[in-house]
Amino acid sequence: MSTSVLDRHAALVQAGELRPDADQVRAVSALAKVQAELEGAPARGITIWRFLGRKPEPARGLYIWGGVGRGKSMLMDLFFDSVQIQRKRRAHFHEFMIDIHARLKAERVKEKGDPIPPIVAALAAEARLLCFDEMVVNNMADAAIMSRLFSGLIAAGVTVVTTSNRHPDDLYKDGLNRQLFLPFIDLVKENLDIIALDGPTDYRRDRLGSAKTWLTPNGPDATAGLSETFFKMTDYPPEDRAHVPTLEMDLGGGRMLHVPKALKGVAVFSFKRLCAEARGAADYLAIARRFHTVIMVGIPVLGPHNRNEAARFVTLIDAFYEYRVKFLASADAEPDHLYPQGDGRFEFDRTVSRLMEMQSEDYLAEGHGPR
Ligand SMILES: Nc1ncnc2c1ncn2[C@@H]1O[C@H](COP(=O)(O)OP(=O)(O)OP(=O)(O)O)[C@@H](O)[C@H]1O
Ligand SMILES: [Mg+2]
Protein backbone atom coordinates (compact mmCIF):
# COMPACT_ATOMS: atom_id res chain seq x y z
CA MET A 1 0.00 0.00 0.00
CA SER A 2 1.18 3.45 -0.81
CA THR A 3 2.18 5.50 2.16
CA SER A 4 1.62 8.89 0.59
CA VAL A 5 -1.00 10.77 2.56
CA LEU A 6 -2.41 11.95 -0.76
CA ASP A 7 -2.99 8.41 -2.02
CA ARG A 8 -4.31 7.16 1.27
CA HIS A 9 -6.79 10.00 1.47
CA ALA A 10 -7.90 9.39 -2.12
CA ALA A 11 -8.36 5.69 -1.32
CA LEU A 12 -10.60 6.50 1.66
CA VAL A 13 -12.73 8.77 -0.48
CA GLN A 14 -12.82 6.13 -3.21
CA ALA A 15 -13.95 3.51 -0.70
CA GLY A 16 -16.74 5.80 0.46
CA GLU A 17 -15.33 6.11 3.97
CA LEU A 18 -14.80 9.82 3.55
CA ARG A 19 -17.03 12.21 1.67
CA PRO A 20 -15.32 14.20 -1.09
CA ASP A 21 -14.42 17.63 0.24
CA ALA A 22 -12.48 20.23 -1.73
CA ASP A 23 -11.16 21.99 1.37
CA GLN A 24 -9.83 18.72 2.70
CA VAL A 25 -8.09 18.00 -0.59
CA ARG A 26 -6.28 21.32 -0.28
CA ALA A 27 -5.19 20.49 3.23
CA VAL A 28 -4.06 17.02 2.20
CA SER A 29 -1.95 18.49 -0.61
CA ALA A 30 -0.24 20.77 1.89
CA LEU A 31 0.38 17.82 4.20
CA ALA A 32 1.73 15.77 1.31
CA LYS A 33 4.26 18.49 0.62
CA VAL A 34 5.48 18.35 4.22
CA GLN A 35 5.62 14.57 4.00
CA ALA A 36 7.73 14.67 0.85
CA GLU A 37 10.14 17.17 2.37
CA LEU A 38 10.47 15.17 5.57
CA GLU A 39 11.06 11.89 3.81
CA GLY A 40 13.35 13.46 1.22
CA ALA A 41 15.66 15.10 3.71
CA PRO A 42 18.62 12.89 4.53
CA ALA A 43 18.69 11.60 8.06
CA ARG A 44 20.67 13.69 10.48
CA GLY A 45 24.39 13.04 10.63
CA ILE A 46 24.91 11.89 7.07
CA THR A 47 28.50 12.63 6.17
CA ILE A 48 27.92 14.53 2.96
CA TRP A 49 26.13 17.30 4.83
CA ARG A 50 28.92 17.52 7.32
CA PHE A 51 31.32 17.62 4.41
CA LEU A 52 29.45 20.50 2.82
CA GLY A 53 29.48 22.19 6.17
CA ARG A 54 25.76 22.91 6.33
CA LYS A 55 22.66 21.21 7.49
CA PRO A 56 19.79 20.38 5.14
CA GLU A 57 16.82 22.70 5.35
CA PRO A 58 14.23 21.17 7.66
CA ALA A 59 10.76 20.67 6.21
CA ARG A 60 8.50 23.69 6.58
CA GLY A 61 5.68 23.14 9.06
CA LEU A 62 1.96 23.58 8.74
CA TYR A 63 -0.77 25.23 10.80
CA ILE A 64 -4.25 23.95 9.97
CA TRP A 65 -7.11 25.88 11.49
CA GLY A 66 -10.87 25.87 11.20
CA GLY A 67 -14.19 25.16 12.85
CA VAL A 68 -15.08 22.00 14.69
CA GLY A 69 -15.63 18.69 12.98
CA ARG A 70 -14.04 19.78 9.70
CA GLY A 71 -11.60 16.89 9.66
CA LYS A 72 -8.43 18.56 10.97
CA SER A 73 -7.53 15.86 13.47
CA MET A 74 -8.54 13.11 11.09
CA LEU A 75 -6.23 14.46 8.36
CA MET A 76 -3.37 15.10 10.72
CA ASP A 77 -3.60 11.57 12.08
CA LEU A 78 -3.59 10.20 8.55
CA PHE A 79 -0.54 12.31 7.77
CA PHE A 80 1.26 11.33 10.96
CA ASP A 81 0.61 7.68 10.32
CA SER A 82 1.80 7.97 6.70
CA VAL A 83 5.10 9.74 7.28
CA GLN A 84 7.91 7.23 7.07
CA ILE A 85 10.46 8.64 9.45
CA GLN A 86 11.72 7.26 12.71
CA ARG A 87 11.60 10.18 15.06
CA LYS A 88 8.08 11.55 15.11
CA ARG A 89 5.74 12.44 17.92
CA ARG A 90 2.07 13.32 18.02
CA ALA A 91 0.68 15.01 21.08
CA HIS A 92 -2.38 16.73 22.30
CA PHE A 93 -1.18 20.29 22.71
CA HIS A 94 -2.46 20.80 26.23
CA GLU A 95 -0.78 17.62 27.43
CA PHE A 96 2.44 18.56 25.66
CA MET A 97 2.52 21.83 27.60
CA ILE A 98 1.91 20.03 30.89
CA ASP A 99 4.93 17.90 30.03
CA ILE A 100 6.95 21.03 29.21
CA HIS A 101 6.13 22.63 32.55
CA ALA A 102 7.15 19.45 34.34
CA ARG A 103 10.47 19.48 32.46
CA LEU A 104 10.96 23.17 33.27
CA LYS A 105 10.46 22.44 36.92
CA ALA A 106 13.02 19.64 36.81
CA GLU A 107 15.54 21.89 35.02
CA ARG A 108 15.09 24.76 37.47
CA VAL A 109 15.90 22.45 40.36
CA LYS A 110 19.34 21.90 38.78
CA GLU A 111 20.00 25.66 38.90
CA LYS A 112 22.02 25.57 35.73
CA GLY A 113 20.69 28.76 34.19
CA ASP A 114 18.20 29.08 31.36
CA PRO A 115 16.06 25.94 31.46
CA ILE A 116 14.74 26.16 27.91
CA PRO A 117 17.78 25.17 25.80
CA PRO A 118 18.25 21.74 27.41
CA ILE A 119 14.53 21.03 26.99
CA VAL A 120 14.66 22.04 23.34
CA ALA A 121 17.69 19.80 22.82
CA ALA A 122 15.96 16.84 24.44
CA LEU A 123 12.78 17.32 22.41
CA ALA A 124 14.70 17.74 19.16
CA ALA A 125 16.58 14.52 19.87
CA GLU A 126 13.29 12.70 20.42
CA ALA A 127 11.49 13.87 17.30
CA ARG A 128 12.09 15.77 14.09
CA LEU A 129 8.38 15.88 13.41
CA LEU A 130 6.08 17.20 16.15
CA CYS A 131 2.36 17.05 15.48
CA PHE A 132 0.00 18.86 17.83
CA ASP A 133 -3.72 18.51 18.00
CA GLU A 134 -5.83 21.39 19.24
CA MET A 135 -3.36 24.18 19.78
CA VAL A 136 -4.97 26.63 22.13
CA VAL A 137 -3.37 29.09 24.51
CA ASN A 138 -5.34 30.16 27.52
CA ASN A 139 -2.87 30.78 30.31
CA MET A 140 0.04 33.08 30.82
CA ALA A 141 2.43 30.32 31.84
CA ASP A 142 2.15 28.80 28.36
CA ALA A 143 1.94 32.11 26.54
CA ALA A 144 5.14 33.40 28.13
CA ILE A 145 7.38 30.52 27.04
CA MET A 146 5.94 29.44 23.70
CA SER A 147 7.88 31.84 21.55
CA ARG A 148 11.27 30.80 22.96
CA LEU A 149 10.39 27.13 23.10
CA PHE A 150 9.21 26.94 19.51
CA SER A 151 11.88 29.16 18.01
CA GLY A 152 14.36 26.81 19.67
CA LEU A 153 12.65 23.76 18.24
CA ILE A 154 12.43 25.19 14.74
CA ALA A 155 16.06 26.30 14.86
CA ALA A 156 16.96 22.76 15.89
CA GLY A 157 15.34 21.48 12.70
CA VAL A 158 12.08 20.22 14.17
CA THR A 159 9.09 20.41 11.83
CA VAL A 160 5.86 21.44 13.54
CA VAL A 161 2.43 20.51 12.23
CA THR A 162 -0.54 21.62 14.27
CA THR A 163 -4.31 21.94 14.23
CA SER A 164 -6.30 24.65 15.93
CA ASN A 165 -9.77 26.11 16.00
CA ARG A 166 -8.26 29.56 15.68
CA HIS A 167 -6.22 31.50 13.19
CA PRO A 168 -2.76 32.26 14.67
CA ASP A 169 -3.74 35.94 14.98
CA ASP A 170 -6.53 34.94 17.35
CA LEU A 171 -4.47 32.73 19.66
CA TYR A 172 -4.44 33.92 23.27
CA LYS A 173 -6.77 36.69 22.19
CA ASP A 174 -7.41 39.17 25.03
CA GLY A 175 -4.96 37.17 27.17
CA LEU A 176 -3.07 38.79 30.01
CA ASN A 177 0.27 40.30 28.93
CA ARG A 178 -0.43 39.29 25.38
CA GLN A 179 2.58 41.24 24.13
CA LEU A 180 4.77 38.46 25.55
CA PHE A 181 2.99 36.10 23.21
CA LEU A 182 3.07 38.11 19.99
CA PRO A 183 6.54 36.87 18.93
CA PHE A 184 5.08 33.38 18.79
CA ILE A 185 2.49 34.51 16.25
CA ASP A 186 5.24 36.05 14.12
CA LEU A 187 7.22 32.85 14.42
CA VAL A 188 4.27 30.79 13.18
CA LYS A 189 3.73 33.11 10.25
CA GLU A 190 7.38 32.97 9.25
CA ASN A 191 7.93 29.27 9.62
CA LEU A 192 4.65 27.49 9.10
CA ASP A 193 2.30 27.52 6.15
CA ILE A 194 -1.12 28.53 7.41
CA ILE A 195 -4.06 26.80 5.87
CA ALA A 196 -7.78 27.05 6.61
CA LEU A 197 -9.85 23.90 6.80
CA ASP A 198 -13.19 25.46 7.33
CA GLY A 199 -15.66 23.99 4.88
CA PRO A 200 -19.43 24.06 5.37
CA THR A 201 -19.78 20.61 6.93
CA ASP A 202 -19.33 19.70 10.58
CA TYR A 203 -18.80 15.97 10.04
CA ARG A 204 -18.84 15.17 13.73
CA ARG A 205 -22.29 16.64 14.14
CA ASP A 206 -23.34 14.64 11.09
CA ARG A 207 -22.09 11.47 12.68
CA LEU A 208 -23.92 12.03 15.91
CA GLY A 209 -27.02 12.30 13.75
CA SER A 210 -30.22 12.03 15.70
CA ALA A 211 -28.76 9.70 18.32
CA LYS A 212 -30.37 10.22 21.69
CA THR A 213 -27.96 11.72 24.20
CA TRP A 214 -29.74 10.81 27.45
CA LEU A 215 -30.79 7.19 27.68
CA THR A 216 -32.95 5.68 30.44
CA PRO A 217 -32.92 3.38 32.26
CA ASN A 218 -29.44 1.93 32.75
CA GLY A 219 -29.25 -1.48 31.19
CA PRO A 220 -28.31 -3.38 28.07
CA ASP A 221 -30.42 -1.25 25.71
CA ALA A 222 -28.89 2.01 26.88
CA THR A 223 -25.39 0.51 26.77
CA ALA A 224 -25.92 -0.76 23.26
CA GLY A 225 -27.17 2.65 22.13
CA LEU A 226 -24.21 4.52 23.61
CA SER A 227 -21.74 2.04 22.29
CA GLU A 228 -23.12 2.36 18.77
CA THR A 229 -22.68 6.14 18.98
CA PHE A 230 -19.14 5.69 20.31
CA PHE A 231 -18.11 3.55 17.35
CA LYS A 232 -19.79 5.87 14.88
CA MET A 233 -18.04 8.92 16.30
CA THR A 234 -14.62 7.33 16.50
CA ASP A 235 -14.69 5.28 13.31
CA TYR A 236 -13.59 2.29 15.34
CA PRO A 237 -14.66 -1.16 14.14
CA PRO A 238 -17.22 -2.48 16.67
CA GLU A 239 -16.02 -6.05 16.14
CA ASP A 240 -12.71 -4.95 17.65
CA ARG A 241 -14.38 -3.60 20.78
CA ALA A 242 -12.06 -5.50 23.09
CA HIS A 243 -9.12 -3.37 21.94
CA VAL A 244 -10.41 0.18 22.24
CA PRO A 245 -7.46 2.18 23.68
CA THR A 246 -7.39 3.24 27.30
CA LEU A 247 -5.56 6.32 28.53
CA GLU A 248 -3.65 7.17 31.67
CA MET A 249 -4.35 10.87 31.76
CA ASP A 250 -1.93 13.19 33.50
CA LEU A 251 -4.01 15.84 35.24
CA GLY A 252 -0.95 17.76 36.38
CA GLY A 253 0.41 17.98 39.90
CA GLY A 254 1.05 14.25 39.93
CA ARG A 255 -2.62 13.39 39.63
CA MET A 256 -3.55 10.63 37.21
CA LEU A 257 -6.86 9.47 35.85
CA HIS A 258 -7.56 6.17 34.16
CA VAL A 259 -9.83 6.62 31.13
CA PRO A 260 -11.30 3.20 30.29
CA LYS A 261 -11.99 4.16 26.66
CA ALA A 262 -10.37 7.12 24.95
CA LEU A 263 -10.28 7.65 21.23
CA LYS A 264 -10.30 10.69 18.95
CA GLY A 265 -11.44 13.11 21.59
CA VAL A 266 -14.21 10.83 22.85
CA ALA A 267 -14.00 9.35 26.36
CA VAL A 268 -16.14 6.83 28.18
CA PHE A 269 -16.45 6.83 31.97
CA SER A 270 -18.70 5.35 34.57
CA PHE A 271 -20.53 7.63 36.97
CA LYS A 272 -18.72 5.83 39.76
CA ARG A 273 -15.26 6.63 38.45
CA LEU A 274 -15.89 10.33 38.03
CA CYS A 275 -18.29 11.15 40.83
CA ALA A 276 -17.84 8.55 43.56
CA GLU A 277 -14.09 9.09 43.96
CA ALA A 278 -12.52 12.20 45.46
CA ARG A 279 -12.34 14.45 42.41
CA GLY A 280 -12.70 18.16 42.01
CA ALA A 281 -13.17 21.01 39.60
CA ALA A 282 -9.56 20.93 38.35
CA ASP A 283 -9.94 17.29 37.31
CA TYR A 284 -13.24 17.92 35.58
CA LEU A 285 -11.87 20.93 33.75
CA ALA A 286 -8.91 18.88 32.55
CA ILE A 287 -11.34 16.30 31.15
CA ALA A 288 -13.49 19.02 29.61
CA ARG A 289 -10.48 20.51 27.85
CA ARG A 290 -9.19 17.20 26.62
CA PHE A 291 -12.37 15.60 25.22
CA HIS A 292 -15.00 17.05 22.94
CA THR A 293 -17.40 14.24 23.82
CA VAL A 294 -17.87 12.35 27.08
CA ILE A 295 -20.05 9.30 27.43
CA MET A 296 -21.03 8.48 31.01
CA VAL A 297 -22.68 5.24 31.95
CA GLY A 298 -24.52 4.17 35.07
CA ILE A 299 -25.87 7.40 36.54
CA PRO A 300 -28.13 6.30 39.42
CA VAL A 301 -30.97 8.19 41.03
CA LEU A 302 -29.29 10.07 43.86
CA GLY A 303 -30.64 10.38 47.40
CA PRO A 304 -29.78 12.41 50.50
CA HIS A 305 -26.94 10.01 51.34
CA ASN A 306 -25.34 10.78 47.93
CA ARG A 307 -24.77 14.47 48.58
CA ASN A 308 -21.07 14.22 47.75
CA GLU A 309 -21.75 12.46 44.47
CA ALA A 310 -24.43 15.01 43.65
CA ALA A 311 -22.09 17.92 44.40
CA ARG A 312 -19.38 16.42 42.21
CA PHE A 313 -21.83 15.81 39.43
CA VAL A 314 -22.85 19.49 39.59
CA THR A 315 -19.20 20.54 39.31
CA LEU A 316 -18.63 18.10 36.47
CA ILE A 317 -21.56 19.35 34.45
CA ASP A 318 -20.51 22.96 35.03
CA ALA A 319 -17.08 22.16 33.59
CA PHE A 320 -18.50 20.28 30.62
CA TYR A 321 -21.00 23.03 29.95
CA GLU A 322 -18.31 25.69 30.12
CA TYR A 323 -16.30 23.83 27.49
CA ARG A 324 -19.26 22.83 25.35
CA VAL A 325 -18.46 19.15 25.79
CA LYS A 326 -21.00 16.87 24.18
CA PHE A 327 -22.39 14.76 27.00
CA LEU A 328 -24.03 11.42 26.37
CA ALA A 329 -25.26 9.38 29.28
CA SER A 330 -27.26 6.48 30.51
CA ALA A 331 -29.18 7.08 33.74
CA ASP A 332 -31.99 5.66 35.81
CA ALA A 333 -34.06 8.81 35.45
CA GLU A 334 -34.50 11.93 33.37
CA PRO A 335 -32.38 14.87 34.63
CA ASP A 336 -35.22 16.46 36.63
CA HIS A 337 -35.80 13.26 38.60
CA LEU A 338 -32.14 12.47 39.19
CA TYR A 339 -31.77 14.09 42.62
CA PRO A 340 -35.22 14.48 44.11
CA GLN A 341 -34.00 15.46 47.58
CA GLY A 342 -30.87 16.12 49.57
CA ASP A 343 -28.30 18.80 50.32
CA GLY A 344 -27.68 21.10 47.42
CA ARG A 345 -30.95 20.18 45.76
CA PHE A 346 -31.48 23.85 44.94
CA GLU A 347 -28.15 24.16 43.11
CA PHE A 348 -28.96 20.97 41.29
CA ASP A 349 -31.70 22.81 39.40
CA ARG A 350 -29.03 24.58 37.44
CA THR A 351 -27.52 21.24 36.54
CA VAL A 352 -30.89 19.93 35.40
CA SER A 353 -31.38 22.97 33.24
CA ARG A 354 -27.92 22.64 31.76
CA LEU A 355 -28.40 18.96 31.08
CA MET A 356 -31.57 19.78 29.17
CA GLU A 357 -29.81 22.45 27.15
CA MET A 358 -26.90 20.10 26.49
CA GLN A 359 -29.30 17.79 24.67
CA SER A 360 -30.45 20.56 22.34
CA GLU A 361 -29.59 20.79 18.69
CA ASP A 362 -28.02 24.24 19.18
CA TYR A 363 -25.73 23.08 21.96
CA LEU A 364 -24.65 20.00 20.05
CA ALA A 365 -23.81 22.11 17.02
CA GLU A 366 -21.47 24.36 19.01
CA GLY A 367 -17.72 23.98 18.94
CA HIS A 368 -15.67 22.47 21.72
CA GLY A 369 -13.87 24.99 23.88
CA PRO A 370 -14.38 27.60 26.60
CA ARG A 371 -17.30 29.88 26.07
N1 LIG B 1 -14.78 13.94 4.50
C1 LIG B 1 -15.31 13.29 5.55
N2 LIG B 1 -16.26 12.36 5.37
C2 LIG B 1 -16.77 11.68 6.41
N3 LIG B 1 -16.40 11.85 7.69
C3 LIG B 1 -15.47 12.78 7.92
C4 LIG B 1 -14.88 13.54 6.88
N4 LIG B 1 -13.98 14.37 7.44
C5 LIG B 1 -14.01 14.15 8.75
N5 LIG B 1 -14.89 13.18 9.05
C6 LIG B 1 -15.20 12.65 10.39
O1 LIG B 1 -15.78 13.70 11.14
C7 LIG B 1 -15.38 13.60 12.50
C8 LIG B 1 -14.78 14.90 12.94
O2 LIG B 1 -13.50 15.09 12.31
P1 LIG B 1 -12.25 15.63 13.12
O3 LIG B 1 -12.27 15.06 14.49
O4 LIG B 1 -11.04 15.43 12.33
O5 LIG B 1 -12.64 17.19 13.20
P2 LIG B 1 -11.76 18.41 13.70
O6 LIG B 1 -11.67 19.37 12.58
O7 LIG B 1 -10.48 17.93 14.27
O8 LIG B 1 -12.69 19.03 14.82
P3 LIG B 1 -12.25 19.76 16.19
O9 LIG B 1 -11.86 21.15 15.83
O10 LIG B 1 -13.51 19.77 17.01
O11 LIG B 1 -11.18 18.98 16.82
C9 LIG B 1 -14.43 12.43 12.59
O12 LIG B 1 -15.14 11.30 13.04
C10 LIG B 1 -13.95 12.27 11.17
O13 LIG B 1 -13.55 10.95 10.89
MG1 LIG C 1 -9.79 17.85 16.27
Side-chain angles (χ1 to χ4, degrees):
M1 192 175 74
S2 164
T3 56
S4 141
V5 64
L6 215 53
D7 294 350
R8 286 180 65 178
H9 177 259
L12 288 170
V13 174
Q14 186 72 34
E17 288 186 34
L18 292 177
R19 303 221 300 262
D21 180 319
D23 295 281
Q24 289 188 352
V25 170
R26 260 183 349 116
V28 171
S29 310
L31 288 164
K33 187 172 147 253
V34 183
Q35 178 180 16
E37 282 182 24
L38 278 168
E39 291 175 354
R44 209 173 51 156
I46 284 189
T47 349
I48 177 102
W49 296 104
R50 256 191 232 137
F51 176 73
L52 292 173
R54 62 186 170 91
K55 279 200 208 151
E57 281 287 302
R60 203 174 151 77
L62 196 61
Y63 184 108
I64 306 176
W65 71 279
V68 299
R70 266 43 181 194
K72 298 180 299 294
S73 303
M74 182 271 295
L75 291 183
M76 195 175 73
D77 287 348
L78 193 65
F79 161 79
F80 183 77
D81 199 50
S82 305
V83 172
Q84 300 292 303
I85 61 170
Q86 290 293 323
R87 292 180 300 117
K88 56 179 182 177
R89 173 173 173 197
R90 180 201 187 283
H92 188 258
F93 185 70
H94 182 71
E95 272 157 9
F96 175 77
M97 290 310 289
I98 289 180
D99 174 40
I100 293 298
H101 288 295
R103 293 187 194 218
L104 280 171
K105 208 168 148 193
E107 282 300 326
R108 287 198 185 107
V109 172
K110 297 184 195 159
E111 293 187 10
K112 283 198 179 142
D114 188 352
I116 292 198
I119 294 177
V120 165
L123 291 168
E126 289 162 21
R128 67 185 182 102
L129 168 65
L130 269 177
C131 285
F132 297 111
D133 201 17
E134 299 191 3
M135 179 174 283
V136 50
V137 187
N138 47 25
N139 64 77
M140 210 168 72
D142 290 352
I145 58 167
M146 278 175 67
S147 157
R148 292 192 54 227
L149 179 67
F150 281 89
S151 35
L153 287 170
I154 289 170
V158 175
T159 300
V160 174
V161 173
T162 188
T163 78
S164 177
N165 286 132
R166 289 168 178 251
H167 187 277
D169 281 333
D170 294 331
L171 285 172
Y172 198 52
K173 209 173 182 179
D174 308 321
L176 213 57
N177 285 333
R178 188 163 189 258
Q179 74 280 3
L180 294 178
F181 181 71
L182 296 178
F184 178 77
I185 299 180
D186 295 335
L187 181 80
V188 166
K189 289 180 171 171
E190 261 167 50
N191 294 282
L192 273 60
D193 287 329
I194 298 170
I195 176 162
L197 180 52
D198 210 15
T201 314
D202 175 350
Y203 291 102
R204 183 178 303 122
R205 183 71 199 85
D206 273 16
R207 274 171 193 250
L208 187 55
S210 54
K212 278 195 67 179
T213 53
W214 190 273
L215 288 87
T216 55
N218 288 307
D221 287 353
T223 309
L226 290 175
S227 126
E228 188 188 325
T229 309
F230 175 82
F231 290 116
K232 215 151 81 191
M233 293 196 80
T234 56
D235 258 329
Y236 197 81
E239 54 282 7
D240 214 11
R241 59 179 66 238
H243 303 112
V244 174
T246 59
L247 175 74
E248 300 309 320
M249 194 176 159
D250 189 343
L251 298 169
R255 294 168 66 79
M256 301 297 290
L257 174 69
H258 174 75
V259 190
K261 290 191 176 64
L263 197 60
K264 298 197 179 169
V266 183
V268 181
F269 294 101
S270 64
F271 176 84
K272 264 212 187 94
R273 184 173 303 273
L274 286 191
C275 298
E277 295 170 5
R279 300 252 163 229
D283 298 346
Y284 298 143
L285 284 167
I287 297 170
R289 276 193 294 265
R290 175 69 177 79
F291 297 101
H292 56 70
T293 302
V294 171
I295 298 178
M296 179 179 266
V297 296
I299 306 178
V301 170
L302 301 164
H305 56 289
N306 300 121
R307 47 193 275 266
N308 290 328
E309 282 95 329
R312 286 189 202 109
F313 188 68
V314 167
T315 312
L316 171 98
I317 295 303
D318 284 346
F320 286 7
Y321 182 83
E322 172 75 20
Y323 276 82
R324 292 311 199 228
V325 173
K326 296 182 181 27
F327 186 61
L328 286 78
S330 74
D332 278 331
E334 293 300 327
D336 53 344
H337 292 112
L338 212 53
Y339 189 47
Q341 49 173 312
D343 278 354
R345 170 68 201 117
F346 181 74
E347 286 77 21
F348 203 83
D349 273 345
R350 183 183 73 238
T351 302
V352 172
S353 149
R354 291 190 162 183
L355 285 170
M356 305 304 281
E357 184 189 340
M358 287 161 85
Q359 296 174 53
S360 73
E361 186 57 39
D362 284 353
Y363 180 92
L364 292 169
E366 276 188 77
H368 176 219
R371 283 197 299 157

